[in-house]
Amino acid sequence: MKGDIKKIMDVCLSAGKIMLSSGAETYRVEDTMVRIAKAFRMQDTYSFVTPTGIFLSIQGNNKEQEHTKLVRIYKRSVDLNKIVLVNEISRSISEGHLNIEEAAIQLQEIDAAKPLYPIWLQIFAAALASGFFSLMFEGTWNDYIPAFITGGIGFVIFILIHQFVQIKLFAEIMASFIIGIFGHLFIYIGFGEHLDKIIIGSVMPLVPGLLI
């Protein structure tokens, strides 16, 4: 039983880690881990998830046999495809279509998979969104191109800094600083009308809008 509990905990924590690091809400991560544990007949299961850590406690059939683990999350992104895949595995486990070993293998494959969209497409999407965000915040079409360029540059800076400094907030602050400089530069040369709209639109791809 001890070995089974360890395997179950590893699968639950692996699923939770993938979901949380891919941008899933904390309550969804907690619910998924508990559902997986209960599908393997671990009724006394408790989970507590924060944006930077996962706590999981499982009590076996022997009331004195309780196991608790903590997993730290150091890097987070947004990959809704991985969240969907983990949810499908959780559903398959609940329906009895996957055993513990098969679930562990599939979760390892999901964790090792590359992002669904290449970096160049992410940068282009961030630039495109920046331009339209500037319009959404009551900017003009004269602000669209400056926001498009500034947002794309800011996102590139964010990616480069985050590769060397694994502190997302620091990378976001530095990218926002560069965005501010380019926004001022465009206004200075007469390319754009509203500095605030350009900056606001350009920083939107950097903020955790999905979590908010």
Side-chain angles (χ1 to χ4, degrees), residues 105-149:
I105 292 173
Q106 291 190 20
L107 287 170
Q108 289 176 2
E109 292 174 350
I110 294 173
D111 193 25
K114 295 181 179 180
L116 184 62
Y117 302 108
I119 294 295
W120 69 266
L121 185 56
Q122 295 179 39
I123 295 171
F124 177 75
L128 194 65
S130 297
F132 282 108
F133 273 126
S134 69
L135 296 178
M136 188 180 75
F137 288 107
E138 300 182 352
T140 66
W141 283 103
N142 291 331
D143 300 320
Y144 180 86
I145 297 300
F148 178 94
I149 298 173

Side-chain angles (χ1 to χ4, degrees), residues 100-198:
I100 194 72
E101 287 80 13
E102 293 170 338
I105 292 173
Q106 291 190 20
L107 287 170
Q108 289 176 2
E109 292 174 350
I110 294 173
D111 193 25
K114 295 181 179 180
L116 184 62
Y117 302 108
I119 294 295
W120 69 266
L121 185 56
Q122 295 179 39
I123 295 171
F124 177 75
L128 194 65
S130 297
F132 282 108
F133 273 126
S134 69
L135 296 178
M136 188 180 75
F137 288 107
E138 300 182 352
T140 66
W141 283 103
N142 291 331
D143 300 320
Y144 180 86
I145 297 300
F148 178 94
I149 298 173
T150 303
I153 293 174
F155 200 76
V156 170
I157 296 298
F158 166 76
I159 292 174
L160 293 175
I161 294 178
H162 195 46
Q163 287 180 344
F164 296 99
V165 181
Q166 295 298 315
I167 303 175
K168 190 175 182 181
L169 179 61
F170 176 78
E172 290 170 344
I173 291 173
M174 295 305 298
S176 300
F177 179 73
I178 299 299
I179 285 172
I181 292 177
F182 274 89
H184 275 279
L185 179 61
F186 279 122
I187 293 296
Y188 179 77
I189 63 177
F191 192 29
E193 293 183 14
H194 304 94
L195 175 62
D196 56 338
K197 313 304 181 186
I198 294 173

